[in-house]
Amino acid sequence: MPLIGYARVSTEDQTPLPQSEALRSAGCGEIFEEHASGGNRARPILARVLERISKGDTLVVVRIDRLARSLSHLLEVIERLEAKGAFFRSLQDPIDTSSPQGKFTLQVLGAAAEFERALIRERTKAGLASARAKGRVGGNPGLRAKDPAARRKVLLARQDGYMERLNETAQDWVPHVRRMRPDMAWEDVLRIINGSLPHDRHWTQSRLLRAVKAYVRDGFLPAEVLGRAGRRETDDRLPAIVAAIKGADPDITLQAICDRLESMRERTPRGRTSWQPSSVRMLLERAERLGLV
């Protein structure tokens, strides 16, 4: 199985060379290096690695903290890899999802994370009950008094929180929207985005549109992506979808495109549910003639 290494350091003053050497010694044929904070989930190099990794590949890091600083982020990345049929390995930690022992360790980590969330919920409920028993009313006094300044402050805080959450998932949808809109309909863009994500992270069209409008408003995406999609001939739809998948990952294999189309529940030109590399190759050739690739 191909081993793909990922090395990360926090600042430009640090060097990822020791990590890269350890990854190379472990058999990694390709190594990606990144200078970024571990607390930042929207890392461009990591996003590119997760986008191009394919079935049977293994993402390798020296230590878990080089990939994620929180358990939730670690589990999120591993879920993305599992959705693609890929694996994860940490050289200095007992995690290798290609082995039964590694999968067991991952299940223990997941159970610990759920237990921690349950404890936080119980402590929050107990604190609120205690405050009510002492006659204290929760909430913002300014909001209770319907103060306009307080309402504006809360609204801005909510918008900031929403944008922060969007930034954590930007690697999942922004590249696709930037590349495919307005040439493709939102329905097809949505199917391509969800085709590479685990089911619990799928987007709805209304949620995606809200996110895109927020990014356009703040200047992170051009206003053109919200334009009306042009009418496309029925025969051009499949070549356009295949071209979009290829454009997101130029090194993706024909079989990986087949897997993506099947996960999208896209039918072949003959109406079948199972895709073959030869069909994908034919559609790519048609996409090239149409100028889509």
Side-chain angles (χ1 to χ4, degrees), residues 213-244:
K213 289 177 181 178
Y215 261 45
V216 169
R217 181 195 65 215
D218 287 1
F220 297 130
L221 282 171
E224 290 76 14
V225 299
L226 292 173
R228 183 181 297 274
R231 298 188 63 178
R232 185 180 296 278
E233 296 294 334
T234 304
D235 291 344
D236 295 347
R237 180 177 172 275
L238 281 176
I241 291 176
V242 172

Side-chain angles (χ1 to χ4, degrees), residues 8-35:
R8 182 191 63 79
V9 291
S10 298
T11 66
E12 294 292 340
D13 296 334
Q14 298 173 314
T15 174
L17 183 59
Q19 295 179 52
S20 297
E21 290 177 346
L23 293 170
R24 194 169 291 107
S25 298
C28 294
E30 193 172 9
I31 298 173
F32 294 84
E33 299 178 348
E34 185 160 42
H35 291 78

Side-chain angles (χ1 to χ4, degrees), residues 147-162:
D147 180 11
R151 296 181 68 177
R152 283 196 300 271
K153 186 176 180 180
V154 170
L155 179 60
L156 290 174
R158 287 177 178 173
Q159 289 178 347
D160 289 343
Y162 176 64

Side-chain angles (χ1 to χ4, degrees), residues 17 29 31 43 67 91-92 102 125 127 200 241 244 255 281:
L17 183 59
I31 298 173
R43 291 175 240 154
L67 178 67
L91 299 181
Q92 297 183 14
K125 290 179 181 178
D200 60 349
I241 291 176
Q255 184 58 55
R281 185 184 299 109

Side-chain angles (χ1 to χ4, degrees), residues 62-79:
V62 173
R63 296 190 312 274
I64 288 178
D65 65 349
R66 297 301 88 196
L67 178 67
R69 286 281 182 85
S70 67
L71 181 56
S72 62
H73 188 205
L74 174 64
L75 295 175
E76 176 186 315
V77 171
I78 293 178
E79 285 178 359

